[in-house]
Amino acid sequence: VSAQNPGSVAVAVTDGIPILELAVLCEVFGIARRDLADPWYEFRICAADPGRTQVGSGFIADTTHDFGDLVNADTVVVSASANVLDKRPAELIDAVVEGHRRGARIVSICAGAFVLAAAGLLDGRRATTHWMHAPLLARRFPNVDVDPSVLYIDDGDILTGAGGAAALDLCLHVVRRDLGPDVANAVARRMVTPTPRPGGQAQDVQPGGQAQGIESPWPTDGGDGLAPLLDWMLGHLGQPLTVSAMARRAHLGDRTLIRQFQTVTGSTPLRWLIAQRVRRARQLLESSDLSVDRIATEAGLGSPANLRRHFTRSVGLSPSDYRRIYRLRHSPQRRGTDLN
DNA sequence: GAGTAATCCCGCCATC
DNA sequence: ACGATGGCGGGATTAC
């Protein structure tokens, strides 16, 4: 049980705020999981006018907290609202500015980035939003370095996330930062979601696969000179790969490769590599009968002990447990059985 | 789980 | 002046 105090998280509710992102916030921060970390977050939902606020999908939020409680928080979260693209509540912008001035960490989800941008907090920074809104954000706020190709961006005191399910990845990232990976993974497991995805993962790309989104608003041709290297790495996970070897293959210096990795994947070479190796190991555990020992070699993790270390840290289960549970769940006789 | 050697990777900075 | 590059130092992380 972690003893670090994660402080308070305040969410601004506005007319028409989408309930998925709101629900994710409530689930991750609003449920006091004191068996995992004590104290847990102090969570509050804040409205410009306390009382009833019409949120999305016909639901109504009823809260006693106003924006005064918002600016006092350690972490301030802003999501989308009904017409945030066109008109953004001035009092919300003011509250965000004030919160940031007081040292709060500011988090935006989906079109909430428009509020942060309007508050001037994103000037000169890298930020992301839902890919559908990214071109508009970039056009309206030219000083913001909009990157629509990632799930979220952690810029220290300001974090921006894409919409939808990526909100979960962002929230779990925040938990990881505040309370450590073990707590974040435990929360993910309780929510029965797969391992949290790193922020650098593309909004419309499966690692190792092809881009699927034909509606993707950003050019797939431009810029990403690292793609061939990443593909090659995915094809050679089993062999030892050092940063220098990768850099040579990409005709770059070590330092430059690390920087490129940062901008393209949001991760670093080794972290990305380990994540892919664990992914590969998981596939092999699911689809083959290879021994754990063999899978460790095959996935490039070397020794079984090393596989276990990385696998447990990112998946939350040991490799053998993972295989056992996966098999139970997918065995024909027991289809549909719940194994929580 | 601790101890080690190796490697990573990020700030700093001269250079292109 | 400006942005990208990449060598260096060394605390952080990884491998065994």
Side-chain angles (χ1 to χ4, degrees):
Chain A
V1 173
S2 168
Q4 302 155 52
N5 187 347
S8 53
V9 172
V11 180
V13 282
T14 47
D15 287 338
I17 182 175
I19 57 171
L20 171 58
E21 289 84 348
L22 186 55
V24 166
L25 291 161
C26 293
E27 283 282 324
V28 173
F29 300 115
I31 297 177
R33 307 176 197 271
R34 294 197 214 286
D35 55 321
L36 298 180
D38 197 3
W40 190 252
Y41 293 88
E42 186 210 319
F43 182 71
R44 41 196 196 237
I45 292 177
C46 307
D49 302 311
R52 291 167 166 252
T53 302
Q54 181 77 46
V55 300
S57 305
F59 289 86
I60 288 174
D62 193 359
T63 178
T64 56
H65 295 289
D66 61 17
F67 281 175
D69 299 314
L70 190 70
V71 302
N72 282 333
D74 298 303
T75 302
V76 173
V77 186
V78 179
S79 187
S81 60
N83 42 19
V84 72
L85 302 184
D86 306 319
K87 73 170 193 241
R88 292 164 290 279
E91 63 267 41
L92 179 53
I93 294 174
D94 293 343
V96 166
V97 170
E98 176 63 10
H100 185 253
R101 200 187 59 75
R102 294 194 192 187
R105 179 172 57 186
I106 311 291
V107 178
S108 78
I109 292 172
C110 194
F114 283 77
V115 174
L116 271 55
L121 297 184
L122 299 182
D123 288 345
R125 297 204 195 219
R126 253 179 96 236
T128 194
T129 186
H130 193 291
W131 60 266
M132 280 177 63
H133 302 320
L136 184 61
L137 182 66
R139 205 173 327 131
R140 202 153 295 175
F141 301 98
N143 293 332
V144 180
D145 180 9
V146 179
D147 184 351
S149 69
V150 295
L151 294 176
Y152 57 84
I153 290 171
D154 179 346
D155 200 31
D157 54 333
I158 295 182
L159 295 86
T160 52
L168 182 51
D169 298 292
L170 172 55
C171 290
L172 291 171
H173 169 77
V174 170
V175 173
R176 181 186 301 258
R177 239 180 72 171
D178 295 339
L179 300 170
D182 292 344
V183 175
N185 286 330
V187 173
R189 221 175 321 147
R190 289 203 191 165
M191 294 178 71
V192 200
T193 184
T195 310
R197 298 174 287 179
Q201 189 161 127
Q203 288 187 26
D204 77 339
V205 173
Q206 286 298 315
Q210 286 84 29
Q212 311 158 354
I214 51 175
E215 290 186 326
S216 168
W218 65 91
T220 48
D221 54 288
D224 191 357
L226 224 50
L229 175 66
L230 299 187
D231 279 343
W232 181 84
M233 286 170 71
L234 288 169
H236 298 80
L237 291 176
Q239 58 184 251
L241 292 172
T242 65
V243 168
S244 296
M246 292 183 267
R248 254 181 282 117
R249 175 158 285 272
H251 309 293
L252 298 169
D254 294 15
R255 189 69 188 79
T256 304
L257 177 77
I258 289 168
R259 262 198 293 257
Q260 298 259 354
F261 243 90
Q262 197 64 248
T263 57
V264 172
T265 70
S267 182
T268 61
L270 190 63
R271 280 219 300 275
W272 188 87
L273 189 57
I274 288 174
Q276 302 313 316
R277 283 174 163 164
V278 168
R279 177 184 297 274
R280 176 91 185 111
R282 199 168 67 185
Q283 287 170 354
L284 290 172
L285 288 167
E286 291 171 4
S287 62
S288 79
D289 287 315
L290 298 174
S291 66
V292 170
D293 197 309
R294 184 69 205 286
I295 288 176
T297 308
E298 198 77 18
L301 270 318
S303 66
N306 199 31
L307 167 64
R308 188 154 33 247
R309 189 164 84 90
H310 288 295
F311 195 92
T312 307
R313 180 152 67 178
S314 93
V315 180
L317 297 169
S318 72
S320 53
D321 280 353
Y322 179 83
R323 173 179 265 168
R324 206 187 72 245
I325 290 176
Y326 181 88
R327 291 279 151 88
L328 276 173
R329 271 200 192 178
H330 290 80
S331 65
Q333 326 54 327
R334 306 221 17 200
R335 184 167 294 281
T337 303
D338 192 40
L339 287 170
N340 290 330

